[in-house]
Amino acid sequence: MPRMSAVVKERAGPGVRLIERDIPSAGPGEVIIRVRAAAICGTDVHIYEWNSWAQNAGIKLPIILGHECAGDVVEVGRGVDNLVVGDRVAVDTHIPCGTCRLCHTGRQHICQNLELFGVHTEGCFAQYARVPAACAWPLPQEVTYEVGALFEPLGTAFRGAQVLEPAGKTVAVFGCGPIGLFALASLRALGAARTIAIDVSPTRLELAAKLEADHLINPAGNDLAAVLIALTDGYGVDAFIEASGNTTALSQAFQALMKGGRAAIIGLPEKNLELDVGSDIVFKEATIFGIHGRLMFATWETMQNMVVSGRLQVESVITHRLPLQDFAAGIELARSSSAGKVILLPWQKKE
Amino acid sequence: MPRMSAVVKERAGPGVRLIERDIPSAGPGEVIIRVRAAAICGTDVHIYEWNSWAQNAGIKLPIILGHECAGDVVEVGRGVDNLVVGDRVAVDTHIPCGTCRLCHTGRQHICQNLELFGVHTEGCFAQYARVPAACAWPLPQEVTYEVGALFEPLGTAFRGAQVLEPAGKTVAVFGCGPIGLFALASLRALGAARTIAIDVSPTRLELAAKLEADHLINPAGNDLAAVLIALTDGYGVDAFIEASGNTTALSQAFQALMKGGRAAIIGLPEKNLELDVGSDIVFKEATIFGIHGRLMFATWETMQNMVVSGRLQVESVITHRLPLQDFAAGIELARSSSAGKVILLPWQKKE
Amino acid sequence: MPRMSAVVKERAGPGVRLIERDIPSAGPGEVIIRVRAAAICGTDVHIYEWNSWAQNAGIKLPIILGHECAGDVVEVGRGVDNLVVGDRVAVDTHIPCGTCRLCHTGRQHICQNLELFGVHTEGCFAQYARVPAACAWPLPQEVTYEVGALFEPLGTAFRGAQVLEPAGKTVAVFGCGPIGLFALASLRALGAARTIAIDVSPTRLELAAKLEADHLINPAGNDLAAVLIALTDGYGVDAFIEASGNTTALSQAFQALMKGGRAAIIGLPEKNLELDVGSDIVFKEATIFGIHGRLMFATWETMQNMVVSGRLQVESVITHRLPLQDFAAGIELARSSSAGKVILLPWQKKE
Amino acid sequence: MPRMSAVVKERAGPGVRLIERDIPSAGPGEVIIRVRAAAICGTDVHIYEWNSWAQNAGIKLPIILGHECAGDVVEVGRGVDNLVVGDRVAVDTHIPCGTCRLCHTGRQHICQNLELFGVHTEGCFAQYARVPAACAWPLPQEVTYEVGALFEPLGTAFRGAQVLEPAGKTVAVFGCGPIGLFALASLRALGAARTIAIDVSPTRLELAAKLEADHLINPAGNDLAAVLIALTDGYGVDAFIEASGNTTALSQAFQALMKGGRAAIIGLPEKNLELDVGSDIVFKEATIFGIHGRLMFATWETMQNMVVSGRLQVESVITHRLPLQDFAAGIELARSSSAGKVILLPWQKKE
């Protein structure tokens, strides 16, 4: 049986290992992808660290990490009629059941029985990966594998930007990790009049500046809500995206939100948020959108069209490219606040 | 100067008095209304009690209470060209400035400089009231003064129902005071497949039953979220309206909300809500709408058309009709959980 | 090989025959349905008559007619994991390719490579039918086979009603054949304040009356636009649904449409429509929706929930139930203007 | 009485004259504007020519031409509380009655009793103009008078672009006069992936190129629908804007429209359009929006925010600036296909 390299968590507890595994083969409705680029996500870091979220996420060990990737279809399982060998594809992490009420009504990405690629199934930090054909999105030649590997998180951020109807608005983005950076780029591409990037890390604010954020704010030592209200003639921001997972940020965001404003929440705080429902939501008639994924595949199509035409440019978010065996360094980078997106290249030889 | 009876709070502290006051006259842009029916709202109770909200609401004493009403235009101020003497009108409580960004963009009801009729200006628990012409809504003959006096709170509830896009959905209403009851009626009229009325008061659940609520639930002694999930084949409710102002109810509501569900929050809790942002909002992609008023006047028109055609029937929510001098009994009824809506009739003689 | 009765068009030209055919078996991704009720549609009449539309519709003869049906799944093909033998199902006529841009973005019902069940594939006027699993919609016990057989055309009408956002509006329906009747029922269920039924056939207007249409208008001898404008205080109707396929009706409809009004067009005229673009569309800012099908399956779910809860009642549209061998009488009824919907029952013995 | 220069049509028939007129004074609800820049519109050309449209538009002669302008408030009438002397403003042409159903529901721009500034009232091709305060939009310092004078037609085009939800889409614009050019700029700013400019005039296509249109097509000698379908992998364009007023163009546009596509129609054809309702609208489920104006003032605010932030740049559409006395040359330019937008400057001395 042919073998491949894969980043595997073998047992409960911190850490992962690069080991040899059998190359998978495609079952009915599945395809095998030769992984050409994979990206490290916060979820991978959680599994690496084996934090409380990871311990309770229903992960069956051992498991290959990773869920953001692009590559070539090399095998097509029975009953798959939307893909052929040789297709270039990216992958949506959300594996829908296909039969629940959510799946029946165009909301497969929040399927009632949702499974996650790379969490509940073997992932893509490997030379090959097995994915449901229903999760594979064909990439045109104009999209590189590296950018294709970004489409999953970019799609989340892009959809967060879309629901805000940002054209002509002033929008604050709390947290400039990869999701926040993608949100800034998306907002700009969708016509936001002004974007405000907020992060404690100067490195991340520099990355935000490359995406043409109009204001860069380090909340350290600032009354953030007051600063935002001053920037907007006393009205507050038209909308915000929460991508920091920080409840203090989220509280300030609601204070700084204009009457009639919109909020997209993507970040997952570790502790509960305290909300003054009257002043934060009711009196100002806030509209709040929880965002957990991308429409399969309406979001993908819109986003991809904008990437192909150059309206949406996100390459600058990639700060590091590493061969697969340097996964540990990659995960350290992703944990730090000194990186944008870290790409693993399973077929690149270490120099 | 001609005089009239009015329910007035004269000084800080609990209580109000029925006294004689001058009949007001119309300034530029204003009209004088002969009040034919007025309805008691929770806000009136707060001002009566002079609770902490009332103490901090910017009320200048003395003030005539009341803001929900209908009547006849008896005087028209300079520059008013949309009304004539003899018009029957209801009143929107929200007094817009007309020049802020919110007012310029069709959102006068959440004006940046919003003032409230009966809170920041003299109200309508009197035989006559002065109101800005911009807040007066002409009533057709088919709408009685009593029902017209309900339009302001009905509009809030109706709009809360509208944003849920309730057709074909199962919708829970937390709290069956007047707003919750109006919400049940509105949901039904807008095509909700099933409505679920939730209240601790058997009296209020009986009123909900008259509005054809499909399920009546007393949360006392129930695991409410579990009950709602069981009623919906494990999915949770498609949507909910929070009209209880109770944070425990709101927490249960979020737990019981289906993935992709919608929430309209109208009630104003006295304490902060604790939210598990991940499971309550993000993972389920909840969409949450704060509702503080009615569109001026798109909501009014839609609602009124449905009332006139009989699609929306809310008379049964009125449980008590009292002459003005019985205001104290009326306020006691409104404080209790044994009444629906209490109507004051300024021109009815006490029998 | 077991045999069944089927209504078949064997060669070009008018007419069809009831003959014996092999019972089909399920290929990959397909199911076999024991047809319990089927409904006759205008399309079936066209194929029966072999009119110019039918001659150019890409039909390969011989073919079993019929596409509106409900029944029991009796065989499940390979790769079908959303259905099991014994499931009660209705069928969507629109067979999507699954891979085009429309299918990828939640619009399978207007697939770029759309095929139609009963037009491009063998249909359901037979005791058994083969259908793609992707087109089968599971029915709950509360929905009878007969009503299930109506879901396909009801879904078209319901969606036409939905896009009008009819709550509180006055809506005219041009043409009270089955689609128009379903539209009237849907509008009513979705909260339209007033519905106006328009047809030259007194029989059909009677059927409209059973669906509680508020106004019944026979256009013969009337200036229809003037009548509608008079009914609406000079504004014109808020919205209309065109279900007559008559260009004169459509012209009048546009004249009678209010400024800012909405139009859903379902009927297919045989000749071109002449539009005064300025006065019919631009000056009044009309919004026009072409409606060719139902969302698969968001429309189905909403509609079914309303049927199950009793909010949407359409049984009265069924005026005739016939055993399969009486198909010829059924088609004559469908051609006439004296029937509502005609149901064929493949397993009912002729009395 | 102080006098001013004004371009006046004095009697029925072609032509206008520059004459002296009294400077107007402000009645109740009105303001007087010192006109700093005015732009010539096709409507002005129609009135100049006194064509059949102009003869039937309800114009009372004599009248000062012109309706697109910006300037300074120099006098404020009684009852105006949203403006003060010294405010810089642009003007919306649509004068709403304030009391009809359209005005009551946020659609003043298509008021049932709509009057047009410069058509039914004296216009702005003069040194001063009288306008209803309800039509005056305050301009921030960042917006020049010249760009402010474009806001009215830009707003129409911008709204036409908005309703198409153009982000990520391929959108064709038929006709590259000022409205078409503004549409191209708006589409680009709102995130359209590709814009296609169509005009027979090479000069106008050059102007389109300056607005970064991705494709420039001269329809002369081309099968336009075929070209558009070829450009879009056989699907057709996602959306189009009709700004040519040419029925042949409009027919081709519908043929070239993708299934599920959207169309915004702004141009006013002189003759009727023949539509194949089945293939042009129903089968492809086209959604068609008639666009006659801008929301007052939600469109203005969004558009202005994008102009101020530089997201939307339209200066290049201005090809000529002339002193008021050169109005005749300006109108000739506007009639030709060799100009973009022509600006008249009432206070500039002729060199």
Side-chain angles (χ1 to χ4, degrees):
Chain A
M1 196 123 196
R3 305 279 282 175
M4 66 174 186
S5 298
V7 176
V8 176
K9 175 171 282 282
E10 293 169 297
R11 63 188 64 85
V16 291
R17 282 213 307 153
L18 184 76
I19 61 173
E20 293 280 298
R21 288 281 289 266
D22 289 348
I23 294 176
S25 63
E30 296 177 339
V31 295
I32 302 301
I33 292 171
R34 186 172 185 265
V35 180
R36 299 292 296 268
I40 300 176
C41 168
T43 301
D44 302 314
V45 174
H46 296 332
I47 299 176
Y48 177 87
E49 296 175 340
W50 204 242
N51 68 5
S52 65
W53 176 86
Q55 292 170 38
N56 295 293
I59 302 172
K60 290 194 192 104
L61 302 178
I63 192 168
I64 301 174
L65 256 65
H67 57 276
E68 302 174 355
C69 68
D72 305 305
V73 173
V74 294
E75 187 191 341
V76 168
R78 214 171 56 191
V80 174
D81 47 16
N82 64 330
L83 293 168
V84 295
V85 169
D87 280 351
R88 303 168 76 247
V89 295
V91 178
D92 197 302
T93 305
H94 289 201
I95 305 175
C97 74
T99 61
C100 71
R101 283 180 61 203
L102 281 301
C103 285
H104 266 163
T105 53
R107 296 176 288 179
Q108 301 93 317
H109 70 295
I110 46 168
C111 166
Q112 182 76 353
N113 310 302
L114 189 65
E115 298 214 319
L116 299 176
F117 173 57
V119 175
H120 304 118
T121 70
E122 301 265 36
C124 66
F125 289 173
Q127 291 180 303
Y128 294 93
R130 175 165 51 194
V131 302
C135 295
W137 170 259
L139 293 174
Q141 289 305 321
E142 295 92 332
V143 178
T144 63
Y145 294 112
E146 291 188 2
V147 170
L150 303 181
F151 271 12
E152 196 266 24
L154 176 58
T156 302
F158 187 82
R159 183 147 168 275
Q162 281 181 308
V163 298
L164 302 180
E165 299 180 356
K169 292 183 178 170
T170 296
V171 187
V173 175
F174 291 79
C176 296
I179 289 287
L181 293 169
F182 289 142
L184 287 164
S186 301
L187 289 164
R188 176 81 198 219
L190 293 166
R194 285 195 292 168
T195 58
I196 303 171
I198 301 163
D199 204 292
V200 290
S201 156
T203 308
R204 288 180 162 175
L205 289 179
E206 275 171 44
L207 290 168
K210 288 190 187 163
L211 297 167
E212 302 184 291
D214 297 280
H215 303 274
L216 307 175
I217 301 181
N218 191 322
N222 277 316
D223 178 344
L224 192 48
V227 169
L228 293 171
I229 289 169
L231 268 177
T232 50
D233 297 329
Y235 282 98
V237 296
D238 294 277
F240 71 79
I241 293 183
E242 209 308 294
S244 74
N246 181 302
T247 52
T248 304
L250 196 41
S251 293
Q252 292 167 319
F254 275 110
Q255 286 170 44
L257 186 64
M258 184 179 167
K259 281 188 168 192
R262 290 177 172 232
I265 304 182
I266 304 176
L268 299 170
E270 294 204 359
K271 52 183 187 176
N272 282 353
L273 173 70
E274 280 212 23
L275 264 185
D276 179 339
V277 170
S279 62
D280 288 343
I281 300 183
V282 177
F283 290 132
K284 62 173 57 169
E285 290 208 344
T287 304
I288 305 162
F289 300 86
I291 300 291
H292 186 229
R294 309 132 298 272
L295 295 181
M296 295 169 72
F297 287 93
T299 310
W300 285 75
E301 168 156 308
T302 303
M303 168 181 73
Q304 177 172 284
N305 288 344
M306 295 183 79
V307 166
V308 168
S309 68
R311 274 19 167 199
L312 177 58
Q313 300 192 354
V314 292
E315 285 86 350
S316 67
V317 175
I318 303 175
T319 52
H320 300 79
R321 292 167 177 83
L322 301 172
L324 187 61
Q325 64 259 51
D326 288 351
F327 67 91
I331 286 176
E332 280 313 310
L333 282 163
R335 291 173 83 168
S336 78
S337 60
S338 61
K341 202 72 182 175
V342 179
I343 296 283
L344 297 177
L345 299 164
W347 295 90
Q348 190 184 68
K349 291 257 167 68
K350 186 160 183 173
E351 288 158 27
Chain B
M1 197 126 194
R3 304 279 282 176
M4 67 175 184
S5 297
V7 176
V8 176
K9 173 170 285 281
E10 293 169 296
R11 64 188 65 85
V16 291
R17 282 213 308 154
L18 186 75
I19 62 175
E20 292 281 299
R21 289 282 289 266
D22 288 348
I23 294 176
S25 63
E30 296 178 339
V31 294
I32 302 300
I33 293 171
R34 185 172 186 264
V35 181
R36 301 291 297 266
I40 300 176
C41 168
T43 300
D44 303 314
V45 175
H46 296 331
I47 299 175
Y48 177 88
E49 295 175 341
W50 204 242
N51 68 5
S52 64
W53 176 86
Q55 292 170 38
N56 294 292
I59 302 172
K60 291 196 192 102
L61 302 178
I63 192 168
I64 301 174
L65 256 64
H67 58 276
E68 302 174 354
C69 68
D72 305 305
V73 173
V74 293
E75 187 191 340
V76 168
R78 212 171 57 190
V80 173
D81 47 16
N82 63 330
L83 292 167
V84 295
V85 168
D87 279 352
R88 304 169 75 246
V89 296
V91 178
D92 197 301
T93 305
H94 289 201
I95 305 175
C97 74
T99 62
C100 70
R101 284 181 59 203
L102 281 301
C103 285
H104 267 164
T105 54
R107 297 174 288 179
Q108 301 94 316
H109 70 295
I110 46 170
C111 167
Q112 182 76 353
N113 310 303
L114 189 66
E115 298 214 318
L116 299 176
F117 173 58
V119 175
H120 304 118
T121 70
E122 302 264 37
C124 65
F125 289 172
Q127 291 180 305
Y128 294 93
R130 175 165 51 194
V131 301
C135 295
W137 170 259
L139 292 174
Q141 290 304 323
E142 296 93 331
V143 177
T144 63
Y145 294 111
E146 292 188 3
V147 169
L150 303 181
F151 271 11
E152 196 265 25
L154 176 58
T156 302
F158 187 81
R159 182 146 169 275
Q162 282 180 307
V163 298
L164 302 180
E165 298 180 357
K169 292 183 178 170
T170 297
V171 186
V173 175
F174 291 79
C176 296
I179 290 286
L181 293 170
F182 289 142
L184 287 163
S186 300
L187 289 164
R188 177 79 198 220
L190 293 166
R194 286 194 292 168
T195 58
I196 303 172
I198 301 163
D199 205 292
V200 291
S201 155
T203 309
R204 289 179 162 178
L205 290 178
E206 274 171 44
L207 290 168
K210 287 190 188 163
L211 296 166
E212 302 185 291
D214 297 280
H215 302 273
L216 307 174
I217 302 181
N218 191 322
N222 276 317
D223 177 345
L224 192 49
V227 169
L228 292 172
I229 290 169
L231 268 177
T232 50
D233 297 330
Y235 282 97
V237 296
D238 293 278
F240 70 80
I241 293 182
E242 208 309 294
S244 75
N246 181 303
T247 52
T248 304
L250 196 42
S251 294
Q252 291 168 319
F254 276 110
Q255 286 169 44
L257 186 63
M258 185 180 167
K259 281 188 168 191
R262 291 176 173 234
I265 304 183
I266 304 175
L268 299 169
E270 296 204 358
K271 53 183 186 177
N272 283 353
L273 173 69
E274 281 213 23
L275 263 185
D276 179 339
V277 171
S279 62
D280 289 342
I281 299 183
V282 177
F283 290 133
K284 62 173 55 169
E285 290 207 345
T287 304
I288 305 162
F289 301 85
I291 300 291
H292 186 228
R294 311 130 298 274
L295 296 181
M296 294 169 70
F297 287 93
T299 309
W300 285 76
E301 167 156 309
T302 304
M303 168 181 74
Q304 177 172 283
N305 288 344
M306 295 183 79
V307 166
V308 168
S309 68
R311 269 31 163 192
L312 176 58
Q313 301 192 352
V314 292
E315 285 86 350
S316 67
V317 175
I318 303 174
T319 52
H320 300 79
R321 292 166 178 84
L322 302 171
L324 188 61
Q325 64 259 52
D326 288 352
F327 66 92
I331 284 175
E332 279 313 310
L333 281 163
R335 290 173 84 168
S336 78
S337 59
S338 61
K341 202 73 182 173
V342 179
I343 297 283
L344 297 177
L345 299 165
W347 294 91
Q348 191 184 67
K349 293 257 167 68
K350 187 160 186 174
E351 286 157 30
Chain C
M1 196 125 197
R3 305 280 282 174
M4 68 175 184
S5 298
V7 176
V8 176
K9 175 170 283 283
E10 292 168 296
R11 64 188 64 86
V16 291
R17 283 213 306 153
L18 185 75
I19 61 174
E20 293 281 296
R21 289 281 290 266
D22 288 348
I23 294 176
S25 64
E30 297 178 338
V31 295
I32 302 300
I33 294 171
R34 187 173 184 261
V35 181
R36 299 291 296 266
I40 300 177
C41 168
T43 300
D44 303 313
V45 175
H46 296 331
I47 299 176
Y48 177 87
E49 295 175 341
W50 203 241
N51 69 5
S52 64
W53 177 85
Q55 292 170 37
N56 295 292
I59 302 172
K60 288 194 195 106
L61 302 179
I63 192 168
I64 301 173
L65 257 63
H67 57 274
E68 301 174 354
C69 68
D72 304 306
V73 173
V74 294
E75 186 191 340
V76 167
R78 213 171 58 192
V80 174
D81 47 16
N82 63 329
L83 292 168
V84 295
V85 169
D87 279 353
R88 303 168 76 248
V89 295
V91 178
D92 197 301
T93 305
H94 288 202
I95 305 175
C97 74
T99 62
C100 71
R101 283 181 59 204
L102 281 301
C103 285
H104 267 164
T105 53
R107 297 174 290 180
Q108 301 94 316
H109 70 296
I110 46 169
C111 167
Q112 182 75 352
N113 310 301
L114 189 66
E115 298 213 319
L116 299 176
F117 173 56
V119 175
H120 303 118
T121 70
E122 301 265 38
C124 66
F125 290 172
Q127 290 179 305
Y128 294 93
R130 174 165 52 194
V131 302
C135 295
W137 170 259
L139 292 174
Q141 289 305 322
E142 294 93 331
V143 178
T144 64
Y145 294 111
E146 292 189 2
V147 170
L150 303 181
F151 271 12
E152 195 266 23
L154 176 59
T156 302
F158 187 82
R159 182 146 169 275
Q162 281 180 308
V163 297
L164 302 179
E165 299 180 356
K169 292 184 178 170
T170 297
V171 187
V173 175
F174 291 80
C176 296
I179 290 286
L181 293 169
F182 290 142
L184 287 163
S186 300
L187 289 164
R188 177 79 199 219
L190 292 166
R194 285 194 294 168
T195 58
I196 303 171
I198 301 163
D199 205 292
V200 291
S201 156
T203 309
R204 288 180 162 176
L205 290 178
E206 275 171 44
L207 290 168
K210 288 190 187 162
L211 297 166
E212 302 184 291
D214 297 280
H215 303 273
L216 308 174
I217 302 181
N218 191 322
N222 275 317
D223 178 345
L224 192 48
V227 169
L228 293 171
I229 289 169
L231 268 177
T232 50
D233 296 329
Y235 282 98
V237 296
D238 293 277
F240 71 80
I241 293 182
E242 208 309 294
S244 75
N246 182 303
T247 53
T248 304
L250 195 42
S251 293
Q252 293 167 318
F254 276 109
Q255 286 169 44
L257 186 63
M258 184 179 168
K259 281 187 169 193
R262 290 177 173 233
I265 305 183
I266 304 175
L268 299 169
E270 294 203 0
K271 52 182 187 178
N272 283 353
L273 173 70
E274 281 212 23
L275 263 185
D276 179 339
V277 170
S279 61
D280 289 343
I281 300 183
V282 177
F283 290 133
K284 64 174 54 169
E285 290 208 345
T287 304
I288 305 163
F289 300 86
I291 299 292
H292 186 229
R294 311 131 297 274
L295 295 181
M296 296 170 70
F297 287 93
T299 310
W300 286 77
E301 168 154 309
T302 304
M303 167 180 74
Q304 176 172 285
N305 288 344
M306 295 183 79
V307 166
V308 168
S309 67
R311 274 20 166 198
L312 176 58
Q313 300 193 354
V314 292
E315 286 87 349
S316 67
V317 176
I318 303 174
T319 52
H320 300 81
R321 292 166 177 83
L322 302 171
L324 187 62
Q325 63 260 52
D326 288 351
F327 67 92
I331 285 176
E332 280 313 309
L333 282 163
R335 291 173 83 170
S336 78
S337 60
S338 61
K341 202 71 182 174
V342 180
I343 296 282
L344 297 177
L345 300 165
W347 295 91
Q348 190 184 66
K349 290 262 169 62
K350 187 159 184 172
E351 286 157 29
Chain D
M1 196 126 196
R3 304 280 281 176
M4 67 174 184
S5 297
V7 177
V8 176
K9 175 173 283 284
E10 293 168 297
R11 63 188 63 86
V16 292
R17 282 212 308 153
L18 185 76
I19 62 174
E20 293 281 298
R21 288 282 290 268
D22 288 348
I23 294 176
S25 63
E30 296 177 339
V31 295
I32 302 300
I33 293 171
R34 185 172 185 264
V35 180
R36 299 292 296 265
I40 300 177
C41 168
T43 300
D44 303 313
V45 175
H46 296 331
I47 299 176
Y48 177 87
E49 296 175 340
W50 204 242
N51 69 5
S52 65
W53 177 84
Q55 292 171 37
N56 295 292
I59 302 172
K60 289 195 195 106
L61 301 178
I63 192 168
I64 301 174
L65 257 65
H67 57 275
E68 302 174 354
C69 67
D72 304 305
V73 174
V74 294
E75 186 191 341
V76 167
R78 214 172 55 193
V80 174
D81 46 16
N82 63 329
L83 293 167
V84 296
V85 169
D87 280 352
R88 304 167 75 248
V89 295
V91 178
D92 197 302
T93 305
H94 289 201
I95 305 175
C97 74
T99 61
C100 71
R101 284 180 60 203
L102 282 301
C103 285
H104 267 163
T105 53
R107 296 174 289 179
Q108 302 94 316
H109 70 296
I110 47 170
C111 165
Q112 182 76 353
N113 310 303
L114 189 65
E115 298 214 319
L116 299 176
F117 173 57
V119 174
H120 304 118
T121 71
E122 302 264 38
C124 64
F125 289 172
Q127 291 180 305
Y128 294 92
R130 175 165 51 195
V131 302
C135 295
W137 170 258
L139 292 174
Q141 290 304 323
E142 296 92 330
V143 178
T144 64
Y145 294 111
E146 292 188 3
V147 170
L150 303 181
F151 271 12
E152 195 265 24
L154 176 58
T156 303
F158 187 82
R159 182 145 169 275
Q162 281 181 308
V163 297
L164 302 180
E165 299 180 357
K169 291 184 179 171
T170 297
V171 186
V173 175
F174 291 80
C176 296
I179 290 286
L181 293 170
F182 290 142
L184 287 164
S186 300
L187 289 164
R188 176 81 197 218
L190 293 166
R194 285 194 293 168
T195 57
I196 302 172
I198 300 164
D199 205 292
V200 291
S201 156
T203 308
R204 288 180 161 175
L205 290 178
E206 274 171 45
L207 290 168
K210 287 190 189 163
L211 297 166
E212 302 185 291
D214 297 280
H215 303 273
L216 307 175
I217 301 181
N218 191 322
N222 276 317
D223 178 345
L224 193 48
V227 169
L228 293 171
I229 290 169
L231 268 177
T232 49
D233 297 330
Y235 282 98
V237 296
D238 294 277
F240 71 80
I241 292 183
E242 209 309 292
S244 74
N246 181 304
T247 52
T248 304
L250 196 41
S251 293
Q252 291 167 319
F254 276 110
Q255 285 169 46
L257 186 63
M258 185 179 167
K259 281 189 169 191
R262 290 178 173 231
I265 304 183
I266 304 175
L268 299 169
E270 295 205 358
K271 51 183 188 178
N272 282 353
L273 172 71
E274 281 213 22
L275 263 186
D276 179 339
V277 170
S279 61
D280 289 342
I281 300 182
V282 177
F283 290 134
K284 62 175 55 170
E285 291 207 345
T287 304
I288 304 163
F289 301 85
I291 299 292
H292 186 229
R294 311 131 299 274
L295 297 180
M296 294 169 71
F297 288 93
T299 310
W300 286 76
E301 167 155 310
T302 304
M303 169 180 73
Q304 176 173 284
N305 288 345
M306 295 183 79
V307 166
V308 168
S309 68
R311 269 31 164 191
L312 177 58
Q313 301 192 355
V314 292
E315 285 87 349
S316 67
V317 176
I318 303 175
T319 53
H320 300 80
R321 292 166 177 83
L322 301 172
L324 187 61
Q325 63 258 53
D326 287 352
F327 67 91
I331 286 177
E332 280 313 309
L333 282 163
R335 290 172 84 169
S336 77
S337 60
S338 61
K341 202 72 181 174
V342 179
I343 296 282
L344 297 177
L345 300 164
W347 295 89
Q348 191 183 65
K349 291 258 167 67
K350 187 161 185 173
E351 289 159 26

